[in-house]
Amino acid sequence: MKNLFYRYLSEIKAGFRISLIYRFNTLVHLLTAPINLVIFYFLWNAIYGYTGQEIIRGFTLPALISYYAVSIIISFLVWADIDEWMEEAVRQGYLVTDLLRPINYIGSNFFFLIGLKLLNLLIQTIPFFIIAVVFFNVKIAGPAYFLLFFVALFMAFVLNFFISFLVGLTAFWLMKIGGIRRMRRIFVFFLSGALIPLSFFPEWFQRISSFLPFEYIRYHVINIYLEKYTFVEVLRVMGIQLVWIVILCLLGILVWRRAYKKFAGAGT
Amino acid sequence: MKNEPIICVENLKKTYKTHSREPGLVNAFKSLFKRKYIIKEALKGISFEIMPGEIVGFIGPNGAGKSTTLKTLSGILYPSGGNVKVLGMTPWKNRVKYVKNIGVVFGQKNTMWWDLPAVDTFELNREFYSIPKEAYKERLDRMVKLLDVEKVMRTPVRDLSLGERMKCQAITSLLHNPKLVFLDEPTIGLDIIAKDRFRDLIKDTNKKDKTTFIVTTHDMQDIEKLCDRIIIINHGEIIYDGSLKNIKGEYLSNKIVDVKLEEAHQGFKLKGCKVLKRRKYELKIEINVKKKSINELVSYLLENYQVADILIQDPPIEEIIRNIYEK
């Protein structure tokens, strides 16, 4: 148990050290994020001004700007391209060397990603949060909601990890999965509410979407930060997140076993 | 004998299914609908045992089945048939538990963190394999000194030359003091001095820690300097398993005789002998010892010429191996 802990800890450290090497790249994102936010502000300022309405689909203009600011923070911390690593590993053949390390494959990827994200937390998320509060009037959530937001954020991270991991597993059969990866990105982007909040979509669309995991990566997590939900509703969101995590995790383990056997040439 | 074999391979088989198609656009289109499958037998039921503390050379021409065997033994390939027991375990069952006990250098594949200096990989592996701090320091110092990588290991791995990387890779595979180490072409890219040092490291580790090594290589110097035993594999079958000395006895039918003369020779003719090089005061003769004894040749030379010097040699090991491959 102790050894296992050290193994995963060393994955986190490896991820962190590698992120340090590419710190400049990380910093550039810190510059582009406020630009994104400004563009969203211009767009929605025009829309609210044109319609002359105070509230559109449950959002005031300041609330909507806060929505986008929190959305960017979620992108910083949750976004993961494990499917891209996996495709590379399968195609280039260095999956072999991954498999020679005495660690669970899913676990090692997960903790490595956490290590990578630690630096994002320090040099992207916190500075951007300060910028958003100071220049974009994003309000700081109450302590209870702030805490709940972080729990939901972590679950969103896990959820997104498994979606990306499952997409990555298709590489074991298809070798080239650029198309599927792009589809995953688009699905996660639109259906999680990154472009516009889901409440802007038609009713029927929202109903379909509620049966999918994507909106639990972003939309509901932001709404928790914006204190749009009662505590019971927050618990319900987290419950559904947990159910999706369990489903996708089990599916991930199952498919991974088959993928590994395929890779190792079982049954030939 | 209470000494149990560390590796026990019995009738190991591996077949691959691949598809083949003729070249050209039309055939590429055809293959979308109808595929021709070929069954390739990479291993046709090989068996061998290896005892703890052995250094075994595993050789064979390209595509002979060396890598397939090594991959199966290291647990990342499922065999199609047969039994394998390594360190009392079946390698491809419970991979995580198994690979903790082995060290692997796989050809040119890199197991170090590409963007970090090698020393970071060493350090992370210390935690990863829970290596005690003192043992780690002692082992690392010894290997760093021996392979002379003090400076190299502080540069990001992506910036290293092939040889430098191989040295660091070797250290990575030995740090956790595995009982069994697979080295797949470990001396690729190393210069002569580095090769020597690398071989020293292997011998040293073998002596000190009783580590078992299995080495595949195309460099016969590796074999001659390292291995007490060689297994030759070709077309998925073991064609020789024994000591290097015996292979000479078994497969060697020719010897090379260099003769220097005091006077110019008149022409040389003896059954069972072939003249490879002929100069005025010098002869290079290849003798088939199955047809003619060395004794006869030497007496013939002494009787007919004023001999200044005679040198009798085995042909180089490369030649012997080539003969075996071609058979």
Side-chain angles (χ1 to χ4, degrees), chain A residues 3-237:
Chain A
N3 286 351
L4 201 66
F5 171 75
Y6 278 119
R7 259 178 251 167
Y8 287 132
L9 189 68
S10 108
E11 283 295 334
I12 294 178
K13 283 185 186 172
F16 186 66
R17 285 188 201 187
I18 284 167
S19 69
L20 277 177
I21 292 170
Y22 297 114
R23 58 193 177 275
F24 184 73
N25 186 41
T26 312
L27 273 173
V28 172
H29 282 293
L30 181 60
L31 292 177
T32 56
I35 298 172
N36 261 335
L37 205 51
V38 168
I39 291 169
F40 275 124
Y41 176 77
F42 288 157
L43 175 71
W44 287 100
N45 196 28
I47 294 173
Y48 275 83
Y50 181 76
T51 57
Q53 274 174 313
E54 282 278 302
I55 296 174
I56 304 178
R57 303 267 175 160
F59 284 91
T60 60
L61 182 58
L64 201 56
I65 297 308
S66 296
Y67 180 93
Y68 284 117
V70 180
S71 172
I72 287 170
I73 287 175
I74 290 174
S75 291
F76 282 162
L77 294 176
V78 168
W79 198 257
D81 287 324
I82 308 141
D83 47 5
E84 201 177 329
W85 310 345
M86 288 166 76
E87 183 186 17
E88 286 277 291
V90 172
R91 281 171 56 78
Q92 311 278 342
Y94 58 80
L95 186 78
V96 169
T97 59
D98 287 345
L99 294 175
L100 288 169
R101 309 176 68 226
I103 193 164
N104 176 289
Y105 184 72
I106 303 177
S108 76
N109 274 303
F110 182 77
F111 285 100
F112 179 73
L113 189 66
I114 287 185
L116 278 183
K117 292 292 179 190
L118 278 182
L119 191 70
N120 288 13
L121 184 68
L122 291 177
I123 69 170
Q124 274 184 345
T125 308
I126 294 172
F128 176 74
F129 182 68
I130 293 168
I131 292 171
V133 169
V134 174
F135 296 102
F136 293 90
N137 291 324
V138 172
K139 79 175 175 53
I140 302 171
Y145 278 99
F146 212 89
L147 203 72
L148 288 170
F149 164 72
F150 265 102
V151 177
L153 180 74
F154 181 72
M155 297 227 271
F157 171 80
V158 182
L159 190 54
N160 185 57
F161 170 84
F162 278 112
I163 290 172
S164 184
F165 181 74
L166 274 163
V167 169
L169 283 175
T170 59
F172 285 72
W173 285 271
L174 304 170
M175 299 310 279
K176 239 183 148 77
I177 56 165
I180 301 175
R181 282 199 290 111
R182 184 157 305 151
M183 211 161 85
R184 193 264 304 168
R185 279 164 174 242
I186 289 171
F187 265 75
V188 174
F189 186 75
F190 285 105
L191 295 183
S192 72
L195 191 67
I196 40 173
L198 283 171
S199 58
F200 284 71
F201 287 119
E203 196 86 1
W204 62 267
F205 191 92
Q206 288 183 48
R207 198 163 307 134
I208 295 170
S209 168
S210 69
F211 290 106
L212 298 170
F214 306 106
E215 60 185 59
Y216 294 93
I217 293 174
R218 190 187 307 266
Y219 179 66
H220 295 296
V221 183
I222 300 173
N223 281 346
I224 290 174
Y225 181 89
L226 297 178
E227 301 182 22
K228 280 177 166 281
Y229 294 155
T230 63
F231 284 119
V232 179
E233 282 170 323
V234 171
L235 281 179
R236 190 173 157 272
V237 167

Side-chain angles (χ1 to χ4, degrees), chain B residues 76 95 109 143:
Chain B
I76 45 173
R95 173 185 68 82
K109 289 206 174 90
M143 292 195 274

Side-chain angles (χ1 to χ4, degrees), chain A residues 3 6-7 10-11 13-14 17-18 21-22 93 96-97 99-103 112 260-261 264-266 268, chain B residues 14-15 75-78 80 95-96 99-100 106 109-111 113 115-116 120 124 127-130 158:
Chain A
N3 286 351
Y6 278 119
R7 259 178 251 167
S10 108
E11 283 295 334
K13 283 185 186 172
R17 285 188 201 187
I18 284 167
I21 292 170
Y22 297 114
V96 169
T97 59
L99 294 175
L100 288 169
R101 309 176 68 226
I103 193 164
F112 179 73
Y260 173 56
K261 283 191 173 169
T268 50
Chain B
K14 179 73 190 175
T15 50
I76 45 173
L77 207 61
Y78 281 63
S80 315
R95 173 185 68 82
V96 174
V99 295
K100 225 186 315 182
F106 253 148
K109 289 206 174 90
N110 167 58
T111 62
W113 294 101
D115 293 314
L116 300 176
D120 273 13
L124 288 165
E127 285 163 31
F128 204 71
Y129 288 92
S130 19
R158 65 179 132 79

